[in-house]
Amino acid sequence: MHKILEFQAVVLAAGRGSRMPDVGGTVSKCLLPVGPYPVLWYSLNMLEKFGFQETMLVVLDEDKSNIINALEKCPLKIKYDLIVIPSEEDWGTANSLKHVSSKVNTDLIIVSGDLITNINLNDVLNLYRKHDAALATLFFNNGPEEWIELPGLKTKAKPDRDLVCIDKETERLVFLASASDFEENVTIPRLLIKKFNSISMYSRLLDAHVYVMKKWVVNYVVDTDKFTSVKGELIPHIVKKQLAKPKNQVERKGTSEKNVDITKDIFDYAVEQGYESKIRKMSAYNDHTLGSKGVYYNDTLRCYAHIPDKNTFGIRVNTLSALYLSNSKILSKWQEITGTELLERIHPNSEVSTKQIDENCTVGEKSCISEKTSLKSTFIGSNCTIENKVRLTNCILMNNVTVKEGCVLQDCILYTGVTVDVNCNLQYCIVGPHHVVSSSKKGNHQLFAEITDNMITLG
């Protein structure tokens, strides 16, 4: 396997899952189960698969011990430097980037800790390398979201959408904004239309939150200290700056109140090192075929976007539907996503007495499944107990769950420490951590959890 040494990697896994209202604010998103492993494992496994030897892993302080315990039980060779951020402070991803900046010595790849994909990561890295880009991004174009009936209360929440413009000929990412920034009409800069001959606009791409960037971008983020979010603020800012030109000395003036020079802008950081510009002047290469403009339109800043084939699997587990959909697909796509075979769907330290368990199920460590049970397309965590005459179909059971005799559960999610008492019949229900569902309870699209001050407390 080729070792990648020219990039450092950082995995951002300090998110709380704000788009998962039914999960609540206290559950660590990166430890939600997808198949036999937590979500975070898939991002780390992807980096390992493509030659990364180590990565920085940014997590919340209060999640550190749980993440260490979870990853110790997963097959991983990549070394991870666990970097904690304060749990009580509301840090954005750009704040996390500033926090690790002192450890960044090379160009950087940022990966979200909730990404599951079978993408060839080299396609993104090579696009960045080919054009000596300031930034390269990854989007998935998988078409409309799959409609699936979800457990829990029915909602009509609309997904966030981005407006993405990409030059067809060069793969330049030339425009990026949130669709919510516009009411009816979308205004595209006239200069952009004049500059690029054929632009495709997308409104249904999924931002993978994979960003390859120059080291100077990190320095710029630290020095300017005006960005909170990488995706929401930093990336659109760099993309927009492609259309600008460096200011001359007459336009630069002023210092801050602390007598700090504020005349520096992004172009003062985007200084090419080495012989790249001289080589381009000597070369006959041009990234575009029409017009008389020089290579890259003489732009200092260049951003690119890679959109893989529509058959590529890519999902970010940041919504309830994504968690549910990823679990329904993970085993059928296991080898192409992970690059390995899943040899043990049933942990050797678990006790599974039933023969009515299909190949789309997994069972975690030290779980006990009684003889007279039926399990179909169900994922069971560690230390779970499933008693006799229980039927589970399309369910997700986290750790330390007990389902007592005679229960029938379909399309349900049961969080850590749940007990479902005898003879319950639940369909499309969510049960919050440590909640006890009383015997003979029937439910359809219900949420069983502790409610305090209009907030769902799950754990």
Side-chain angles (χ1 to χ4, degrees):
M1 180 178 64
H2 174 66
K3 296 181 180 180
I4 292 182
L5 302 174
E6 65 188 286
F7 298 100
Q8 288 176 272
V10 57
V11 177
L12 301 179
R16 271 292 177 210
S18 59
R19 294 180 182 85
M20 291 186 176
D22 288 333
V23 173
T26 60
V27 176
S28 179
K29 179 178 65 172
C30 68
L31 293 181
L32 292 173
V34 175
Y37 302 125
V39 171
L40 177 59
W41 178 82
Y42 295 90
S43 297
L44 296 172
N45 178 75
M46 178 187 69
L47 290 172
E48 179 183 302
K49 186 170 68 167
F50 287 100
F52 284 87
Q53 305 295 296
E54 57 187 31
T55 182
M56 290 173 274
L57 178 55
V58 180
V59 302
L60 290 175
D61 187 20
E62 66 185 26
D63 291 337
K64 180 180 177 180
S65 60
N66 289 335
I67 288 173
I68 291 173
N69 292 336
L71 292 181
E72 282 179 348
K73 299 174 183 177
C74 299
L76 271 180
K77 294 180 181 177
I78 189 172
K79 297 178 182 178
Y80 48 90
D81 179 10
L82 222 57
I83 300 171
V84 299
I85 64 175
S87 302
E88 66 278 1
E89 296 184 24
D90 187 19
W91 280 24
T93 48
N95 299 116
S96 297
L97 187 57
K98 285 184 281 188
H99 189 58
V100 303
S101 60
S102 61
K103 296 176 178 285
V104 177
N105 303 309
T106 66
D107 291 353
L108 191 68
I109 178 170
I110 299 175
V111 178
S112 176
D114 59 11
L115 176 65
I116 301 177
T117 179
N118 61 357
I119 181 71
N120 184 345
L121 193 59
N122 285 321
D123 291 341
V124 186
L125 298 177
N126 288 338
L127 178 65
Y128 174 87
R129 291 166 173 141
K130 176 182 177 180
H131 299 291
D132 191 29
L135 175 73
T137 61
L138 172 63
F139 292 91
F140 296 115
N141 187 14
N142 299 331
E145 296 87 354
E146 292 188 45
W147 188 90
I148 52 174
E149 190 171 2
L150 297 174
L153 305 175
K154 293 185 177 181
T155 63
K156 295 182 179 180
K158 293 183 178 180
D160 295 332
R161 298 199 185 283
D162 295 317
L163 295 178
V164 182
C165 291
I166 298 172
D167 179 41
K168 283 185 178 180
E169 187 178 14
T170 63
E171 291 186 273
R172 284 278 293 272
L173 174 61
V174 297
F175 184 81
L176 177 63
S178 172
S180 61
D181 293 341
F182 305 93
E183 293 183 0
E184 294 182 359
N185 300 320
V186 179
T187 304
I188 302 295
R190 183 180 301 175
L191 179 60
L192 191 152
I193 304 298
K194 291 173 63 177
K195 189 171 184 176
F196 299 98
N197 296 301
S198 181
I199 296 175
S200 298
M201 175 178 277
Y202 301 87
S203 63
R204 287 182 175 269
L205 294 181
L206 172 66
D207 189 335
H209 284 215
V210 172
Y211 310 114
V212 190
M213 62 180 61
K214 283 277 194 288
K215 180 184 182 300
W216 65 255
V217 175
V218 180
N219 298 336
Y220 177 64
V221 171
V222 172
D223 291 350
T224 54
D225 197 26
K226 65 179 181 180
F227 301 105
T228 301
S229 165
V230 171
K231 192 266 179 188
E233 297 172 8
L234 176 63
I235 304 301
H237 174 77
I238 299 175
V239 171
K240 184 177 180 180
K241 280 290 186 178
Q242 289 179 105
L243 298 177
K245 295 295 182 184
K247 293 181 180 179
N248 58 42
Q249 291 300 321
V250 177
E251 296 170 314
R252 296 165 176 257
K253 54 186 177 180
T255 57
S256 69
E257 293 178 2
K258 297 181 180 179
N259 204 34
V260 176
D261 183 9
I262 59 174
T263 62
K264 292 181 72 174
D265 63 14
I266 193 169
F267 295 100
D268 293 305
Y269 293 84
V271 177
E272 290 183 325
Q273 307 292 333
Y275 299 97
E276 290 89 346
S277 60
K278 292 182 179 179
I279 292 171
R280 279 198 293 273
K281 290 178 181 178
M282 296 167 60
S283 171
Y285 170 78
N286 206 325
D287 64 321
H288 52 280
T289 56
L290 299 176
S292 58
K293 293 282 187 179
V295 61
Y296 302 121
Y297 301 98
N298 300 317
D299 290 338
T300 304
L301 289 179
R302 299 181 295 278
C303 303
Y304 290 84
H306 177 63
I307 304 177
D309 183 87
K310 283 191 175 184
N311 294 324
T312 302
F313 179 78
I315 193 167
R316 288 189 56 232
V317 187
N318 60 351
T319 63
L320 185 62
S321 59
L323 174 66
Y324 208 58
L325 187 60
S326 58
N327 271 290
S328 69
K329 291 181 176 293
I330 192 66
L331 292 187
S332 64
K333 296 182 177 292
W334 183 264
Q335 190 154 3
E336 58 185 276
I337 290 174
T338 67
T340 62
E341 292 186 19
L342 183 58
L343 300 177
E344 293 181 346
R345 291 185 300 104
I346 300 174
H347 197 281
N349 290 340
S350 60
E351 182 182 334
V352 179
S353 301
T354 181
K355 294 182 179 179
Q356 297 184 63
I357 178 171
D358 69 11
E359 67 277 4
N360 294 317
C361 295
T362 65
V363 179
E365 184 180 12
K366 297 181 180 178
S367 288
C368 180
I369 316 296
S370 298
E371 182 179 4
K372 297 178 182 179
T373 57
S374 172
L375 279 68
K376 296 179 181 178
S377 301
T378 291
F379 299 92
I380 297 176
S382 301
N383 301 301
C384 294
T385 300
I386 312 299
E387 296 185 354
N388 283 320
K389 299 180 182 179
V390 168
R391 296 207 312 268
L392 302 177
T393 306
N394 298 328
C395 293
I396 302 171
L397 279 64
M398 300 190 192
N399 299 335
N400 304 303
V401 171
T402 298
V403 182
K404 295 194 174 181
E405 187 170 326
C407 290
V408 178
L409 275 60
Q410 177 188 335
D411 295 280
C412 294
I413 298 177
L414 278 57
Y415 282 87
T416 299
V418 162
T419 297
V420 183
D421 215 333
V422 297
N423 298 322
C424 288
N425 190 319
L426 306 179
Q427 293 181 318
Y428 296 98
C429 291
I430 295 177
V431 186
H434 313 293
H435 190 86
V436 177
V437 181
S438 56
S439 61
S440 303
K441 179 75 74 175
K442 293 184 178 181
N444 190 303
H445 282 288
Q446 286 183 243
L447 176 65
F448 297 93
E450 305 302 325
I451 310 288
T452 56
D453 297 330
N454 297 320
M455 291 294 291
I456 301 166
T457 304
L458 298 181

